[in-house]
Amino acid sequence: MARLGLPALRRSTPVRLAAFLVALFACVSLLSFGVTYLVIRNRLETGMRADLEQTMAGFSAAPSASALAALIANQGAVTDPSQRILTYLAPNGQVFGNVALSRGPEGFLYIDLGPNPTGARRDYLGLAGNFFGGQLIVAANRAPVTALAATFLDVLLASLLPTIVIAIGGGLYLARRSRARVDRIVATLDRLSSGDLTARVVPMPGAHDLAAIGEGVNRLAVRQEAATEALRQVSADIAHDLKTPIQRLAVQLDRLAAAEGMPETGAALAAEAREEAARIVGTFQSLLQIAQIEGGSPKARFVPVDLAEVARTFAEIYEPAADDAGQSLTLHLPGGPVTVQGDRSLLGQALANLIENALRHTPPGSRIAVTLHGGAQPVLEVADTGPGIPADERQNVLRRLYRLERSRTTPGSGLGLALVAAIADLHGAALTLDDAAPGLVVRLAFGRPDGAP
Ligand SMILES: Nc1ncnc2c1ncn2[C@@H]1O[C@H](COP(=O)(O)OP(=O)(O)O)[C@@H](O)[C@H]1O
Ligand SMILES: [Mg+2]
């Protein structure tokens, strides 16, 4: 599987789903945390108020100013002013409790909490009351309330962050896994659409939806393969069944041409018809041969074949024809033999078809070059300087009976390249048609080199 880039991952369904769930979870968490925080804070404040009111009520039960002063003095001595303030300003101006309190003009009170050594927040909730002409103040530090917010924030982060990390990690993992499966299906579809009908999606346990798609693709492939096979069989059968009667027809036409008392024009027509019949037989033979090769001609017959020797032989055979047509045929070979496993006569026929095309479909004066590249992956190529084949037709000419419009009047049946394609396929070689600028170059690239020296 190709490694997934970040942009591809971001577009992947599981990652999007994970991101959406994380966002949803974060929103819900924030909301529920917020509500819980407000409720708890409210309870704390209410509890604090009730406590202060109760304390105040307790002191109000004192019978006199001096009794209250004594009470405050006692309790104040044992109460930490950073937690709770208790102070009574008696009518005579005397102060009792744990905090300094003094009277200012116009009824104002000065409260002095003194130095704050701990540096903690001093945020108090207080209650004041008039008792026996003096002022009583009780107050409680709101630290529990302020600490609550920090605690909540800590808990929120501690629970939310791992969730986000885990969810995104899980999403990425799922995305990679499902991507790998999608890639497998796509690869199979690619092979199927490029003509390899034996391609199948390997079973994917545990992936129900994708596995169903894979099985669908496989069913389609099985049907397609069967249909193609049936078609191939039918065309082979037709070619086979018609070959014999047409051969008989050719013989009869021969006899007709030579028959006694046959006028000259009749004999000429019979000879023409005889040639046409011969062409038909040739076409049928080629069709049958292609069907045979495609049907998996036994590879057991494969032997080491020296491509250099094949190229040399066929270049020699076609050189006179090239000279006659005013064309030149040159051969470029590497130093030694170039061996591949194959069927020598089929490989020779493929090369012959390519050279014949280069002779037939190019004007006089064209140069034809047969080149062999050795090495681990040998390449046999035939290039010419003719009109070439337009890029959008290069796939079509490999089809059976397909010929370019301009070749209508050139002899041939449109089966030459189809046969080359079948032979290339049988040998596991890649067949490519390219622009030789000008002209056409056809390459046969052999993938499996023969280990033999
Ligand atoms: N070397 C070439 N240069 C230009 N066109 C070519 C060449 N080879 C093949 N073609 C085109 O491809 C078509 C198919 O070729 P082929 O299958 O060999 O059939 P045929 O040669 O019998 O026409 C040809 O009819 C021709 O139009
Ligand atoms: Mg041809």
Side-chain angles (χ1 to χ4, degrees):
M1 176 189 83
R3 262 189 77 78
L4 281 184
L6 212 61
L9 267 182
R10 231 181 286 141
R11 266 182 274 117
S12 120
T13 314
V15 169
R16 283 178 169 218
L17 215 60
F20 173 73
L21 284 177
V22 165
L24 194 70
F25 179 80
C27 285
V28 172
S29 285
L30 282 176
L31 197 72
S32 77
F33 262 84
V35 169
T36 315
Y37 167 72
L38 287 180
V39 167
I40 294 185
R41 201 181 75 160
N42 205 19
R43 289 247 173 97
L44 267 179
E45 294 258 9
T46 314
M48 253 163 130
R49 284 199 191 119
D51 183 41
L52 287 176
E53 272 166 358
Q54 217 177 333
T55 311
M56 204 58 136
F59 289 129
S60 71
S64 65
S66 56
L68 181 59
L71 215 57
I72 297 290
N74 269 341
Q75 294 229 355
V78 295
T79 305
D80 179 2
S82 69
Q83 296 300 322
R84 185 183 269 270
I85 293 172
L86 284 177
T87 177
Y88 180 56
L89 181 60
N92 61 5
Q94 219 182 333
V95 181
F96 303 90
N98 56 9
V99 159
L101 194 64
S102 57
R103 210 186 291 274
E106 296 164 27
F108 282 98
L109 291 175
Y110 290 97
I111 303 168
D112 182 4
L113 295 180
N116 178 10
T118 62
R121 261 179 77 131
R122 294 216 274 187
D123 179 11
Y124 289 86
L125 179 70
L127 205 56
N130 263 317
F131 288 93
F132 313 108
Q135 256 81 37
L136 173 65
I137 290 178
V138 289
N141 196 326
R142 291 182 71 246
V145 177
T146 42
L148 192 66
T151 309
F152 260 75
L153 213 61
D154 284 351
V155 174
L156 184 69
L157 287 183
S159 71
L160 211 53
L161 275 185
T163 311
I164 290 176
V165 169
I166 289 171
I168 288 183
L172 286 179
Y173 169 72
L174 288 179
R176 279 181 199 279
R177 212 173 58 158
S178 84
R179 180 56 179 251
R181 289 171 166 160
V182 169
D183 280 353
R184 257 192 264 168
I185 295 176
V186 170
T188 308
L189 284 172
D190 279 350
R191 279 176 60 199
L192 285 173
S193 56
S194 68
D196 178 7
L197 295 181
T198 59
R200 296 289 182 273
V201 181
V202 280
M204 298 178 279
H208 291 299
D209 41 0
L210 286 178
I213 295 176
E215 280 161 20
V217 169
N218 285 352
R219 275 197 300 277
L220 201 69
V222 167
R223 276 226 198 136
Q224 186 69 30
E225 199 180 14
T228 310
E229 182 49 40
L231 198 66
R232 183 176 296 161
Q233 193 57 48
V234 165
S235 60
D237 288 350
I238 292 175
H240 190 263
D241 290 354
L242 290 186
K243 209 175 94 181
T244 323
I246 290 174
Q247 269 165 345
R248 271 205 301 273
L249 182 69
V251 174
Q252 282 159 357
L253 284 171
D254 268 345
R255 278 208 229 132
L256 182 63
E260 245 173 78
M262 186 65 165
E264 195 131 316
T265 49
L269 274 177
E272 254 176 57
R274 160 100 187 66
E275 258 171 46
E276 206 64 57
R279 263 198 289 279
I280 296 174
V281 172
T283 300
F284 280 158
Q285 246 150 9
S286 300
L287 275 173
L288 280 173
Q289 194 183 8
I290 293 172
Q292 217 171 18
I293 295 171
E294 282 182 343
S297 167
K299 285 187 190 170
R301 281 216 323 258
F302 274 16
V303 291
V305 177
D306 178 11
L307 288 177
E309 186 270 327
V310 175
R312 210 176 292 118
T313 307
F314 282 88
E316 261 166 38
I317 293 176
Y318 282 100
E319 227 181 318
D323 284 343
D324 288 351
Q327 290 155 328
S328 72
L329 178 65
T330 54
L331 179 66
H332 308 274
L333 295 177
V338 178
T339 331
V340 295
Q341 285 291 337
D343 181 318
R344 187 190 179 286
S345 71
L346 288 181
L347 287 173
Q349 184 160 9
L351 181 58
N353 284 6
L354 294 180
I355 297 177
E356 242 168 58
N357 276 353
L359 289 171
R360 220 184 260 172
H361 302 292
T362 59
S366 304
R367 292 187 306 280
I368 300 158
V370 176
T371 311
L372 178 64
H373 301 283
Q377 278 153 342
V379 178
L380 180 59
E381 83 184 32
V382 178
D384 63 53
T385 54
I389 296 179
D392 56 345
E393 290 277 28
R394 285 181 200 145
Q395 207 54 39
N396 295 335
V397 293
L398 299 181
R399 277 164 30 195
R400 268 165 263 197
L401 304 172
Y402 191 94
R403 314 186 73 204
L404 293 187
E405 197 58 38
R406 63 162 191 252
S407 311
R408 276 264 175 98
T409 53
T410 326
S413 56
L415 288 169
L417 287 177
L419 188 66
V420 174
I423 293 172
D425 221 38
L426 181 71
H427 287 81
L431 174 67
T432 48
L433 276 62
D434 245 319
D435 192 354
L440 178 75
V441 52
V442 184
R443 288 193 190 90
L444 267 173
F446 293 82
R448 290 171 292 111
D450 175 29

